[in-house]
Amino acid sequence: MERIFGRPIVTQEQMRARIRELGKQITIDYAGKDFVLVGVLKGAYAFYADLARQIRIPMRVDFLMVKSYGSGSKTSGKVKMVTELTEDIKGKDVLLVEDIVDSGLTAQYLFKALEKKKPQSLKVCTLLSKQDRRVTDVTIDYVGFKIPNKYVIGYGLDYQQKYRNLPYLAVLDVEEDRA
Ligand code: IMP
Ligand code: MG
């Protein structure tokens, strides 16, 4: 890999420990429910796989794939659902799993889209949150880490579709100008 990324801002050990805590909390909160864990691809794939294995109740897994328009490290706010859920979530307790909530526009768009399918409940879990960048009032129920307004890569997150397989979370050394 080219060395355009720096040292971890969240190490693998910190990640493991926090995901264990989230898994415990979700296990308690969703005990006895008809639970579906919905992952938002591609970004959430690493977090999703680790989180799911820390949840100790029966559940279904499902995925959505979204594509946001715009390239580089800018968020355009325009989102397209590329693939749909495979199961009917009507009457089910759904937890949407995101990699990062930045402006919140993606989370808000997905929340509204899933709400139309009439789940019993719908909550959002994100590994990372950039609070300072939020332009929506979408409620995020579970947050792994609050991070500063820096562009991060690794552990599922990309820069121009690369670096998702970096096993930890790093800040991009080459910071682009951001709106
Ligand atoms: P939002 O719609 O502004 O909340 O942006 C959410 C999406 O933007 C995420 O799902 C990511 O794909 C992307 N994104 C935002 N910040 C970062 C970052 O720091 N690194 C990688 N992707 C990011
Ligand atoms: Mg992305």
Side-chain angles (χ1 to χ4, degrees), residues 40 43 66 68 73 75 77 79 98-107 130 133-134 147 150-153 157-159 164 178:
V40 183
V66 299
S68 35
S73 54
T75 305
V79 190
E98 287 254 35
D99 54 353
I100 185 165
V101 178
D102 186 13
S103 69
L105 290 166
T106 307
K130 290 183 194 169
R133 300 256 308 161
R134 208 61 45 80
I147 62 164
K150 294 251 163 70
Y151 197 85
V152 293
I153 52 164
L157 290 99
D158 73 303
Y159 174 65
R164 292 192 197 273
R178 307 201 54 177

Side-chain angles (χ1 to χ4, degrees), residues 8-11 14-15 18-19 21-22 47 98-102 124-134 138-152 157 169 171:
I9 60 159
V10 178
T11 66
Q14 288 168 326
M15 198 76 89
R18 183 68 186 120
I19 292 172
E21 287 174 3
L22 286 171
F47 174 47
E98 287 254 35
D99 54 353
I100 185 165
V101 178
D102 186 13
V124 182
C125 173
T126 186
L127 176 64
L128 307 166
S129 172
K130 290 183 194 169
Q131 311 286 85
D132 297 349
R133 300 256 308 161
R134 208 61 45 80
V138 61
T139 303
I140 311 296
D141 304 276
Y142 304 91
V143 176
F145 298 92
K146 290 178 185 164
I147 62 164
N149 182 19
K150 294 251 163 70
Y151 197 85
V152 293
L157 290 99
L169 199 75
V171 175

